[in-house]
Amino acid sequence: MSIRKSRVNLFKRYVPLGIAALLSVVLFTGCSSNVSNVQPAGNKGEGTNSSMSAEPAKAEKISYRIGDIINTEQVNNFNPYLNTGNYRPLFDYVYDALYYFNPVKGELINRLAADSGTWSEDQKTLTVKLNTTAKWHDGEAFTADDVVYTFQVLKDHPVLDSYHLWSDTRLNSVRASSSDTVVFQLNNPFPSLTNYLTTVYIVPKHLFEKEDPETFLNKTPIGTGAFKFRNINESAILLDANPESYLGAPQITELVLQRFKDSPAITLALQKGEIQGTTGTIAMPSLPKLLENKDNKLQQFPGLSTFAVIINNDKPGLNDVAVRKAIQQAINREEVVEKGEMGAATVGNHGFLSQVFGSLVNEKLADDPSLQFSIEQANKTLENAGYVKNSKGIYEKDGVKLSFVYYMAANAPAQNKEGAMITGWLNQAGIATTIKMVTWPELTSLAMSGSYDLIQNGITVPADPQAALEVFHSKMTAPIGENTSGLNWARFRDSQVDEWLDEGSAANAEQRTELYKKVQARIAELAPVVTLYSSGKTPYSETSFTNYDTNVPATSVLSLVKVTKK
Amino acid sequence: MGLLDVIDLQVEYAAPNGMFKAVDGVSFSIERGEIFGLAGESGCGKSTTAYAISRLLRPPARLVGGRIVFDGKELTKLQEHEFQSYRWSRISVVLQSAMNNLNPVMRISSQLADVILAHERGITARGAQSRAEQLLALVEIPAAKLSSYPHELSGGMRQRVVIAMAMALRPELIIMDEPTTALDVVTQKGIVNRIIELQKELGFSILFITHDLPLMLEICDRIGIMYAGRMAEVASAEQLLYGARHPYTQGLLRSFPSLTGPRVRIDGIPGSPPNLIMPPAGCRFESRCQHAADACSRIEPSIINDDKGMVACHLYGFREDSYEAVTASQSR
Amino acid sequence: MKIQLSYVVRRVVFAIATLIAAIIMNFLLPRLIGGDPAEMIASQTALGSAEVAEGLRKQFGLDNPSLIHQFGKYITQLLQGNLGISYFNYPVPVKDVLWNALPWTLGTVVIATLLSYAIGWLIGIKGALKPGSWFDNSALGVSFFINSVPYFWIGIMLIVIFAYKLDWFPLGQAISVDYDTLSPMGKVGSIVHHAVLPVLSLALASVASHILVLRNNLIRVLSEDYMVLARAKGLSARRRVFHYGIRNAFLPSFTGFMLSLGHVVGGAITMEIVFSYPGIGMLINNAILNHDYPLIQGAFLVIAVSIIAVNLIADLIYPFIDPRVNLN
């Protein structure tokens, strides 16, 4: 009896554990396979009117949802002039600039400008006709006065003029020659002006002139855009369609910008169908699963965002071009794109200029043997420059050890994966790194002030090749400890590059192409940064909506005004 | 017929290395108004016997044989809910080490009152409170102590409280398991005296369990000596003191020094009790007995009942006996 | 056992002393980390307004390098309820930033803590009363299992099963996007509906230890002599289990419970990430990563105050629960 009893006891003791283990196995396998088989739930709960009529039913609400990471510190103001405290993609839906740079095709599209502008003989005056069918969301008419006011603010508050439009070599005056025409007067020829005009959202004079643009929070933004701001809560920013938009009335009635804390949550919501697209944020490792559903699409284009390992050229060790070259040669960018971005990005141009600029890109650099990935080459570069490996396998010269702090974004799986790969290669090449993870805003802050050795971050350039390359102009930088005035976070200074760029700002199209290619070659040679990839991508879903305009980013305003419910 | 008759009681324990009988055929009886002592070494089974009588045995201990007859009723046949009416109102207990007897987070008054409230219908809380006061008065504790917690009382006072508690429902039998062992001698004397006084006054029987033989000889009417799960001898205190028959009893008596008298070397009883998982075939005391004969290791001694009491030893001859003969000889 | 006034006074004084120490630590901490806060303000040309930055410096005495002066200003502002202005949420004051996030944290974490302890205790008691039974072994087995998996796994599993597959609950967030159009009842319903999974995940993750502590203590208590005596006294099972058993076994669990409550204000950052839920956890985490000193200080102060306050309450309640505690 005692033996049977102890067997029963054993049974009693271990079966519950077994049940628990079984449960977990079932959950694990069941869920991992189920997640791929599940059909996205679609836009539940919204009006589903399956009528065949061309016009949308009046009382029906058609809601399109975009998901993105929008933290509390990104919704403190809705003032397009301010660089911080707001969520920039919002402005494109609510406001317009005169022109829009389409990162898919690399072209300019007219928005509030009715034409592409007429240049004077001496190239110092640009006359732009305005699209006066546009109206402010509060019903007031849009006129040239609004445009003049918008640019005047930049002149009166230089701290807001991030692109230095007002300077001795650029804008002299902006005035309205009639209610629908604006004249830009320049001090020197500035062919890129129209590109720069894409960065300035036109604001309503009648509302902004009562406030101080530097501190105005603009909690209820009034713009001319295809969507009107309704309100904001903890879960989303809600926009109503503007039926009187000059782009045509949107076919959706509501645009929801849903707020998330990280990209995996966004990706899950997209997979379920709770959101229909994002402005680019996606958890790359989940991409293959997402695309197994044929209705989910990933639109890809080179874009204006170049991800790079940004090197602080002012730091000891990193101020040596041999070290930077070695870093450049030690990184396998193709593999970074393949494994980190799931192949959904374009391998970066060593000359930095994004492929979105088409013929201006220096294609020779792609095949240049000295720029290929090779750890041995990296070692040789360092050894030729007199570096010797110490006992720990780290290169050293004159007491300077090649050991650096490597910053990257926290809570960003793809970034972290790529960072791990890159630091792994650097290690193999005899360059030691200590990884530190910080938030995106902090990353920018460190870059601006130069408080870093190496940063893995994206540089989003203005929609202008000159401006893009001027990232490496010495006037765009500042010493360590001071915030840079431009995007020259790398603290790169080369008189030759400066010279070519200054020349190019006033040259004609052919000369500029020449000069830009020279600049790119020089950048590739001196490696102030190591470009990884250019990434423009828009994930979107065609399960419930169709008619996306893929000539532009599929979730940008120009596409969303055309999108209809299936 | 006595108040309590224990006949051939058997209690089994399941130990990690086997089953054994902690109480293996123990018989005795207690009269009304009698103080009956149960003595023996640690582990001889006396506490187990007490627990068996008051139905407090818990697994791995089990009652596996014998009868317990209380006031003519066969207790072992009762269901738990039927036994409820016996608990405390007819049989109560005082356990060893009163500190653990009392609930540390309840006031004395609650602990005294809750048993009254549990058993007496129709008594109010206030009524129970005043009864509690009276009970404390019985053991000479001031009423002010009612609102105290156990840790605020001295050891002696706690023991008095426990004794008062045991008398709360005027039971017929109080089982006291080492009630004074944890106390100093002076306090012990005071409490023991009070117990005796109360017993005379209220007339309840006491089953007094201890290993302190001299104390027992002083206060008990009759005493049973247990060894290795069995009863070795039962006799009146007087008989035991002047004419103990079982060699074990004699050894025990020799083990206690005299307060007066010359200083002598104490013999004690060499050896240790047997392993009850594999009990020896014959007499269990055989290995330590100076009088052990050849038969002792092979044949279990039969129980001998006569006018002197009960003894289980080959020295006093082989005799057929029956249960009636045993009880007849033990009654006065 | 009478609670002396002297005991109460002593506890309160001790709490105040701890609070003062916490305030001083809070003040010193960013300065100890290195990185002069004045420098931080100077380089933070958020909104580009130098005048505003200067104003802040004056307000917090950062224009004067003397620590005493700065501390004095800090205390002055503190007493006025001014915790400073958050760098990264400029121009929102720290107080407002915390105030917006606090209700979400308090609501979910407090309820989750209460639920977790309540469920844990009930299961623990049931298991202790019948140790070794099916129920007990299963409860132990399952709770050991849950205890050993990381919290986020529990959260994610709940999302995958109940939100993704079954669609009974939302994938995350605190309210539905159309919250503002809902009736008051609808609003409450939306909040509750969104809070179920976060609260459940938090409660489940910590329930194991609550079960174990009470169960084991109760088993120990049930074998004490006074329990035997209670049975001998013929008291009802309910009275025995509760007044004699649980009231004794409960003491360590109570302490644990009060400590947990004190830490509620720290938030649950993993939950906030997994469920995209607003709350103090992620706020503090980002504040630290962003070097947002005023926000860090403000948050730590709030946490310190809450822990001290809850501990004080626990100290004052405890003598009622365990009369043996030494009030000296």
Side-chain angles (χ1 to χ4, degrees):
Chain A
M1 177 163 93
S2 49
I3 298 180
R4 207 191 290 163
K5 230 184 181 173
S6 47
R7 267 221 202 115
V8 168
N9 280 331
L10 232 78
F11 192 67
K12 260 165 69 173
R13 212 183 311 159
Y14 288 114
V15 163
L17 284 174
I19 292 177
L22 198 64
L23 263 174
S24 60
V25 169
V26 163
L27 285 175
F28 200 69
T29 52
C31 292
S32 54
S33 59
N34 275 334
V35 158
S36 62
N37 289 339
V38 110
Q39 300 302 316
N43 219 359
K44 270 193 164 161
E46 314 303 336
T48 33
N49 195 346
S50 53
S51 76
M52 294 310 237
S53 65
E55 37 169 273
K58 278 208 192 77
E60 185 191 342
K61 184 166 87 151
I62 303 176
S63 193
Y64 188 93
R65 288 201 197 178
I66 290 181
D68 209 346
I69 300 177
I70 308 177
N71 289 325
T72 20
E73 56 261 25
Q74 289 171 281
V75 291
N76 285 317
N77 73 64
F78 298 116
N79 181 344
Y81 283 119
L82 302 175
N83 281 327
T84 55
N86 50 47
Y87 172 64
R88 286 222 83 80
L90 173 69
F91 295 134
D92 206 48
Y93 299 108
V94 174
Y95 286 94
D96 294 299
L98 291 173
Y99 299 100
Y100 171 72
F101 180 82
N102 178 6
V104 175
K105 295 274 159 109
E107 63 191 2
L108 287 181
I109 297 180
N110 298 341
R111 291 267 280 262
L112 282 178
D115 62 17
S116 41
T118 324
W119 282 103
S120 64
E121 276 280 328
D122 61 357
Q123 299 288 306
K124 290 209 245 181
T125 311
L126 182 70
T127 311
V128 178
K129 202 128 167 63
L130 299 177
N131 187 342
T132 44
T133 57
K135 275 222 290 253
W136 296 106
H137 293 151
D138 60 359
E140 295 288 321
F142 161 70
T143 69
D145 287 339
D146 294 306
V147 178
V148 169
Y149 171 78
T150 303
F151 284 94
Q152 190 62 33
V153 165
L154 294 180
K155 180 176 188 193
D156 296 337
H157 302 267
V159 74
L160 301 176
D161 187 9
S162 355
Y163 292 106
H164 303 284
L165 295 178
W166 293 90
S167 73
D168 294 334
T169 53
R170 292 183 176 175
L171 275 181
N172 177 294
S173 76
V174 178
R175 57 180 179 83
S177 67
S178 69
S179 66
D180 68 350
T181 316
V182 176
V183 178
F184 294 88
Q185 187 71 49
L186 296 160
N187 288 321
N188 287 3
F190 183 29
S192 309
L193 179 62
T194 41
N195 286 37
Y196 278 87
L197 294 179
T198 62
T199 64
V200 181
Y201 289 105
I202 308 298
V203 301
K205 172 177 177 184
H206 61 280
L207 294 174
F208 264 72
E209 62 184 349
K210 311 184 212 156
E211 314 281 347
D212 176 1
E214 284 184 38
T215 55
F216 180 36
L217 297 179
N218 198 20
K219 289 287 193 183
T220 11
I222 301 286
T224 50
F227 293 93
K228 295 190 276 196
F229 178 83
R230 189 166 89 217
N231 71 338
I232 176 174
N233 60 37
E234 290 286 351
S235 292
I237 304 175
L238 300 153
L239 309 173
D240 287 321
N242 177 9
E244 293 166 36
S245 166
Y246 65 90
L247 293 169
Q251 300 296 304
I252 57 183
T253 62
E254 178 185 63
L255 179 58
V256 176
L257 304 174
Q258 197 160 345
R259 299 168 63 175
F260 292 86
K261 291 277 163 77
D262 65 353
S263 55
I266 294 175
T267 315
L268 191 66
L270 189 59
Q271 195 151 353
K272 188 180 177 191
E274 191 173 306
I275 58 176
Q276 285 78 51
T278 87
T279 55
T281 316
I282 189 112
M284 292 307 275
S286 311
L287 190 62
K289 239 310 106 97
L290 189 71
L291 295 178
E292 279 176 21
N293 179 347
K294 291 303 161 209
D295 281 335
N296 292 336
K297 308 266 186 249
L298 184 74
Q299 179 192 34
Q300 250 184 279
F301 46 90
L304 293 169
S305 228
T306 302
F307 271 80
V309 176
I310 305 168
I311 305 175
N312 192 338
N313 287 233
D314 270 351
K315 287 272 175 111
L318 297 170
N319 51 11
D320 183 349
V321 61
V323 174
R324 299 199 300 271
K325 277 309 266 186
I327 295 178
Q328 188 190 58
Q329 288 159 341
I331 299 178
N332 186 345
R333 291 126 26 95
E334 280 79 11
E335 204 169 306
V336 166
V337 168
E338 201 193 299
K339 298 236 176 77
E341 297 293 311
M342 305 297 163
T346 321
V347 177
N349 172 7
H350 274 303
F352 187 72
L353 199 63
S354 161
Q355 286 80 350
V356 74
F357 293 110
S359 55
L360 296 172
V361 171
N362 185 339
E363 324 82 14
K364 293 211 208 99
L365 297 173
D367 306 316
D368 188 332
S370 74
L371 300 172
Q372 301 307 316
F373 164 65
S374 162
I375 302 267
E376 299 86 50
Q377 186 58 48
N379 289 339
K380 261 201 243 149
T381 306
L382 285 171
E383 275 155 18
N384 286 344
Y387 284 85
V388 178
K389 274 200 182 174
N390 65 13
S391 55
K392 299 210 179 85
I394 317 285
Y395 277 107
E396 229 180 83
K397 179 170 108 167
D398 298 336
V400 175
K401 220 168 39 161
L402 297 188
S403 169
F404 306 110
V405 175
Y406 188 93
Y407 282 100
M408 61 176 164
N411 292 336
Q415 291 298 302
N416 300 150
K417 184 165 183 182
E418 293 157 28
M421 290 162 69
I422 292 170
T423 48
W425 289 315
L426 289 179
N427 229 326
Q428 283 178 38
I431 300 173
T433 52
T434 316
I435 295 185
K436 287 204 176 147
M437 295 201 263
V438 295
T439 60
W440 289 104
E442 175 73 355
L443 217 55
T444 312
S445 178
L446 291 170
M448 279 170 72
S449 59
S451 327
Y452 70 95
D453 297 329
L454 302 168
I455 278 196
Q456 180 187 316
N457 201 359
I459 305 178
T460 308
V461 298
D464 177 68
Q466 175 81 17
L469 289 174
E470 275 185 359
V471 167
F472 295 100
H473 197 298
S474 61
K475 72 182 179 203
M476 290 301 191
T477 194
I480 293 184
E482 247 179 69
N483 279 353
T484 58
S485 49
L487 295 168
N488 190 346
W489 299 329
R491 269 92 187 145
F492 174 72
R493 290 177 197 83
D494 184 70
S495 46
Q496 182 66 89
V497 166
D498 286 354
E499 200 189 296
W500 286 331
L501 285 176
D502 291 336
E503 234 186 276
S505 73
N508 67 33
E510 212 183 282
Q511 292 167 322
R512 293 165 103 205
T513 314
E514 250 311 307
L515 291 164
Y516 290 161
K517 291 201 173 160
K518 285 213 267 225
V519 167
Q520 289 170 64
R522 186 118 174 110
I523 290 176
E525 193 191 316
L526 295 178
V529 304
V530 179
T531 55
L532 298 171
Y533 50 85
S534 306
S535 160
K537 52 185 186 297
T538 311
Y540 63 98
S541 163
E542 291 191 324
T543 311
S544 312
F545 289 88
T546 184
N547 249 347
Y548 291 89
D549 184 351
T550 49
N551 288 317
V552 293
T555 52
S556 68
V557 67
L558 292 175
S559 167
L560 288 185
V561 293
K562 302 187 187 142
V563 161
T564 53
K565 198 162 169 64
K566 273 190 174 165
Chain B
M1 192 128 302
L3 175 65
L4 174 74
D5 290 290
V6 176
I7 299 131
D8 197 28
L9 189 67
Q10 290 168 49
V11 178
E12 198 174 62
Y13 262 95
N17 41 353
M19 310 283 270
F20 71 97
K21 288 232 177 95
V23 177
D24 194 359
V26 163
S27 306
F28 63 95
S29 59
I30 304 180
E31 300 301 313
R32 289 184 197 280
E34 179 180 37
I35 303 183
F36 186 91
L38 201 55
E41 297 175 36
S42 308
C44 68
K46 37 190 214 296
S47 290
T48 310
T49 306
Y51 276 51
I53 296 170
S54 51
R55 253 207 194 189
L56 292 175
L57 287 178
R58 300 228 80 179
R62 276 185 337 137
L63 188 83
V64 293
R67 296 159 57 199
I68 305 172
V69 182
F70 185 84
D71 194 23
K73 242 339 203 303
E74 175 66 72
L75 294 186
T76 50
K77 297 253 173 11
L78 294 179
Q79 299 286 342
E80 177 59 38
H81 69 270
E82 289 167 322
F83 188 72
Q84 271 290 100
S85 57
Y86 284 79
R87 286 204 192 278
W88 223 255
S89 49
R90 305 193 69 183
I91 305 177
S92 70
V93 301
V94 172
L95 297 178
Q96 210 163 352
S97 176
M99 188 55 228
N100 291 340
N101 265 323
L102 294 170
N103 186 345
V105 299
M106 277 174 74
R107 295 179 199 276
I108 303 295
S109 56
S110 311
Q111 298 192 51
L112 287 172
D114 68 3
V115 67
I116 298 172
L117 289 167
H119 285 266
E120 290 186 19
R121 310 259 149 240
I123 190 163
T124 62
R126 178 159 303 161
Q129 274 280 71
S130 66
R131 281 274 289 281
E133 249 182 75
Q134 292 166 14
L135 284 170
L136 280 189
L138 276 183
V139 290
E140 293 166 343
I141 293 184
K145 295 289 176 187
L146 261 183
S147 56
S148 311
Y149 286 94
H151 66 279
E152 293 175 306
L153 305 176
S154 69
M157 263 199 237
R158 285 199 286 263
Q159 200 62 348
R160 288 172 191 262
V161 168
V162 170
I163 289 166
M165 206 155 70
M167 296 186 305
L169 301 178
R170 300 283 192 264
E172 292 153 77
L173 172 66
I174 302 184
I175 301 177
M176 298 194 185
D177 188 355
E178 310 270 14
T180 54
T181 312
L183 300 169
D184 63 86
V185 207
V186 180
T187 318
Q188 185 173 316
K189 177 117 178 112
I191 290 184
V192 165
N193 284 344
R194 192 69 196 129
I195 292 177
I196 310 255
E197 282 167 22
L198 288 168
Q199 194 267 340
K200 283 206 176 54
E201 201 178 302
L202 302 170
F204 49 85
S205 303
I206 303 180
L207 172 58
F208 197 96
I209 302 173
T210 182
H211 56 265
D212 185 350
L213 200 47
L215 174 65
M216 226 182 223
L217 288 166
E218 223 188 282
I219 68 172
C220 294
D221 300 316
R222 285 188 307 133
I223 299 173
I225 308 284
M226 278 182 71
Y227 183 77
R230 294 204 164 145
M231 195 67 90
E233 182 169 4
V234 179
S236 69
E238 210 179 49
Q239 171 69 33
L240 228 51
L241 188 56
Y242 295 114
R245 290 190 282 174
H246 199 288
Y248 177 58
T249 320
Q250 293 163 356
L252 273 186
L253 287 169
R254 279 199 304 271
S255 304
F256 288 91
S258 161
L259 209 54
T260 58
R263 216 168 105 193
V264 290
R265 197 186 131 98
I266 303 294
D267 289 328
I269 310 172
S272 45
N275 178 356
L276 289 183
I277 295 179
M278 309 277 257
C283 171
R284 291 185 175 183
F285 187 63
E286 183 263 337
S287 56
R288 306 163 78 183
C289 183
Q290 336 166 243
H291 307 290
D294 177 55
C296 299
S297 61
R298 291 181 293 113
I299 306 174
E300 277 184 33
S302 33
I303 295 174
I304 294 144
N305 285 288
D306 54 24
D307 55 339
K308 291 213 190 76
M310 168 265 189
V311 66
C313 177
H314 290 301
L315 283 175
Y316 302 93
F318 298 90
R319 276 242 316 255
E320 297 295 324
D321 51 45
S322 64
Y323 168 70
E324 279 77 18
V326 169
T327 48
S329 67
Q330 286 188 325
S331 63
R332 293 202 197 189
Chain C
M1 171 99 286
K2 280 138 203 107
I3 305 289
Q4 257 89 352
L5 189 64
S6 65
Y7 174 71
V8 172
V9 168
R10 247 177 305 125
R11 287 270 137 249
V12 170
V13 166
F14 182 70
I16 293 179
T18 315
L19 184 60
I20 293 177
I23 292 178
I24 295 179
M25 272 303 295
N26 205 17
F27 168 77
L28 286 177
L29 221 52
R31 289 159 175 83
L32 289 176
I33 290 177
D36 178 13
E39 284 294 310
M40 285 307 300
I41 297 189
S43 66
Q44 288 283 338
T45 50
L47 296 199
S49 175
E51 296 93 60
V52 178
E54 195 50 38
L56 270 183
R57 290 182 70 144
K58 285 224 172 51
Q59 203 175 41
F60 282 87
L62 293 169
D63 49 344
N64 183 332
S66 148
L67 269 184
I68 308 290
H69 177 87
Q70 288 182 21
F71 187 63
K73 285 280 180 169
Y74 177 68
I75 296 292
T76 319
Q77 296 303 317
L78 198 59
L79 290 172
Q80 291 172 4
N82 182 3
L83 292 170
I85 300 198
S86 160
Y87 293 157
F88 264 73
N89 289 286
Y90 193 90
V92 184
V94 168
K95 192 167 53 151
D96 293 342
V97 175
L98 293 175
W99 189 251
N100 284 335
L102 211 46
W104 300 110
T105 291
L106 288 183
T108 47
V109 183
V110 167
I111 293 181
T113 307
L114 293 175
L115 211 63
S116 183
Y117 274 95
I119 296 178
W121 287 338
L122 286 173
I123 296 181
I125 292 174
K126 186 134 195 272
L129 292 179
K130 286 207 175 89
S133 61
W134 280 109
F135 180 85
D136 186 42
N137 281 336
S138 311
L140 280 181
V142 172
S143 61
F144 275 131
F145 171 72
I146 294 182
N147 210 28
S148 54
V149 302
Y151 161 79
F152 61 81
W153 191 84
I154 298 176
I156 292 174
M157 272 297 128
L158 286 178
I159 292 179
V160 168
I161 301 173
F162 294 103
Y164 190 85
K165 274 229 70 197
L166 293 173
D167 204 19
W168 289 350
F169 295 101
L171 288 175
Q173 279 141 351
I175 49 180
S176 53
V177 297
D178 58 356
Y179 179 78
D180 311 280
T181 63
L182 298 173
S183 64
M185 277 309 289
K187 284 189 176 161
V188 170
S190 179
I191 294 179
V192 170
H193 190 224
H194 280 76
V196 168
L197 288 187
V199 168
L200 202 61
S201 65
L202 285 175
L204 274 180
S206 54
V207 78
S209 51
H210 310 325
I211 295 177
L212 283 174
V213 170
L214 188 56
R215 174 194 178 272
N216 292 347
N217 272 320
L218 190 54
I219 288 181
R220 177 184 55 82
V221 161
L222 289 175
S223 64
E224 293 277 355
D225 278 346
Y226 51 83
M227 283 306 295
V228 176
L229 200 69
R231 192 159 151 250
K233 280 157 86 171
L235 301 176
S236 70
R238 173 184 297 169
R239 193 169 176 84
R240 272 185 284 139
V241 166
F242 183 72
H243 283 275
Y244 286 73
I246 294 177
R247 280 200 59 195
N248 278 291
F250 188 63
L251 309 171
S253 292
F254 173 74
T255 318
F257 175 63
M258 291 310 275
L259 284 177
S260 291
L261 274 188
H263 284 91
V264 155
V265 177
I269 177 179
T270 316
M271 180 274 276
E272 290 168 28
I273 293 179
V274 169
F275 289 93
S276 284
Y277 208 83
I280 271 201
M282 189 118 193
L283 202 69
I284 298 178
N285 184 67
N286 282 350
I288 294 174
L289 292 174
N290 289 332
H291 298 293
D292 191 348
Y293 290 125
L295 188 53
I296 296 175
Q297 279 186 297
F300 281 169
L301 193 65
V302 169
I303 293 177
V305 166
S306 126
I307 293 182
I308 292 173
V310 172
N311 272 347
L312 179 62
I313 295 175
D315 278 342
L316 295 179
I317 295 181
Y318 202 74
F320 290 101
I321 302 202
D322 183 3
R324 292 170 290 183
V325 80
N326 185 359
L327 292 194
N328 299 314

